[in-house]
Amino acid sequence: SQQGEEDPQALSIQEGENATMNCSYKTSINNLQWYRQNSGRGLVHLILIRSNEREKHSGRLRVTLDTSKKSSSLLITASRAADTASYFCATDESNDYKLSFGAGTTVTVRA
Amino acid sequence: DAGVIQSPRHEVTEMGQEVTLRCKPISGHDYLFWYRQTMMRGLELLIYFNNNVPIDDSGMPEDRFSAKMPNASFSTLKIQPSEPRDSAVYFCASSLQRTSDEQFFGPGTRLTVL
């Protein structure tokens, strides 16, 4: 069963704009990860944030985690056409270390 | 390292036939995962191995599905007999030391069962 739920399901933005997507989950977690999937490809790991962290940056990516609200957000700044992909959050529950993936947010960046 | 390698990339078969999907994880990774991705159900974990030993196969949908890992560099996922509802993209992934570590995914096998 899916632990994380991404919102929105789809997002269309202009190149250069920022893209924000959210992930909500149900139970206590150890870590939360974000992955990207380009069409027809496997998932690629973007960033991992631990339950005791609140914010993390990697290049143009910024991830926040609010464990009190059981939610996370992924911000992509200054988007590029190459950012067009589906983005998934994945969580591992505190008592079960398997990753559970959400349904994903499909991001389209228009040139 | 070449990353996780999967074969075949595409498989088209007829209902009732046996299908075998193959995976070579990244060398040195202790964990190997098999996932299935469909539009309806998203990405589902089928089974995972630690040091070649199956740890959790609770995601395997039916007895028609089986997975093996005879050594650290090779794993198979077999469906026998295959059914149209098995049509999906099957991914293999590996991680270094824990199930919650960053996972490295292969390119997937797109299976179509007619």
Side-chain angles (χ1 to χ4, degrees):
Chain A
S1 62
Q2 290 177 344
Q3 152 86 307
E5 295 287 338
E6 287 92 342
D7 170 61
Q9 288 187 334
L11 183 60
S12 180
I13 56 174
Q14 201 74 28
E15 203 165 24
E17 293 180 340
N18 296 341
T20 300
M21 60 211 85
N22 303 296
C23 169
S24 59
Y25 55 91
K26 299 170 186 171
T27 63
S28 297
I29 61 171
N30 299 304
N31 305 312
L32 186 143
Q33 303 181 37
W34 285 92
Y35 287 80
R36 182 188 73 227
Q37 183 179 31
N38 292 90
S39 180
R41 303 284 191 94
L43 279 72
V44 174
H45 181 265
L46 295 176
I47 198 164
L48 180 153
I49 186 165
R50 304 195 186 282
S51 58
N52 61 354
E53 298 176 309
R54 292 297 167 258
E55 188 170 315
K56 207 160 183 181
H57 296 255
S58 177
R60 294 183 296 111
L61 305 180
R62 172 177 170 254
V63 169
T64 63
L65 179 63
D66 187 335
T67 53
S68 67
K69 295 181 180 179
K70 293 187 172 56
S71 69
S72 173
S73 67
L74 171 66
L75 167 68
I76 306 172
T77 60
S79 62
R80 305 166 181 169
D83 296 327
T84 294
S86 292
Y87 293 81
F88 296 86
C89 68
T91 56
D92 62 318
E93 299 177 26
S94 295
N95 60 351
D96 180 356
Y97 292 86
K98 296 179 295 186
L99 283 188
S100 177
F101 287 82
T105 292
T106 300
V107 175
T108 303
V109 181
R110 306 186 306 273
Chain B
D1 200 319
V4 176
I5 299 172
Q6 290 187 249
S7 64
R9 293 294 310 278
H10 301 274
E11 176 81 30
V12 180
T13 190
E14 294 193 344
M15 184 173 64
Q17 295 298 306
E18 177 180 297
V19 175
T20 299
L21 311 181
R22 297 173 176 78
C23 174
K24 176 179 167 53
I26 293 173
S27 176
H29 281 194
D30 289 344
Y31 286 86
L32 183 140
F33 308 86
W34 282 100
Y35 290 91
R36 178 172 69 176
Q37 186 177 40
T38 62
M39 289 294 292
M40 289 294 294
R41 300 176 67 89
L43 196 64
E44 304 172 278
L45 176 64
L46 301 177
I47 185 172
Y48 76 89
F49 296 82
N50 178 24
N51 292 321
N52 314 339
V53 176
I55 302 301
D56 187 338
D57 66 353
S58 59
M60 296 285 259
E62 300 171 35
D63 291 345
R64 299 184 296 106
F65 286 69
S66 63
K68 294 182 180 180
M69 192 166 185
N71 57 62
S73 59
F74 183 66
S75 177
T76 60
L77 178 68
K78 185 176 293 186
I79 308 172
Q80 165 66 14
S82 58
E83 296 183 3
R85 58 194 168 122
D86 301 330
S87 297
V89 181
Y90 291 81
F91 289 102
C92 176
S94 67
S95 68
L96 191 57
Q97 289 183 330
R98 295 180 301 180
T99 54
S100 54
D101 281 347
E102 170 187 357
Q103 293 188 12
F104 295 80
F105 281 74
T109 295
R110 181 173 295 276
L111 173 65
T112 302
V113 183
L114 303 174

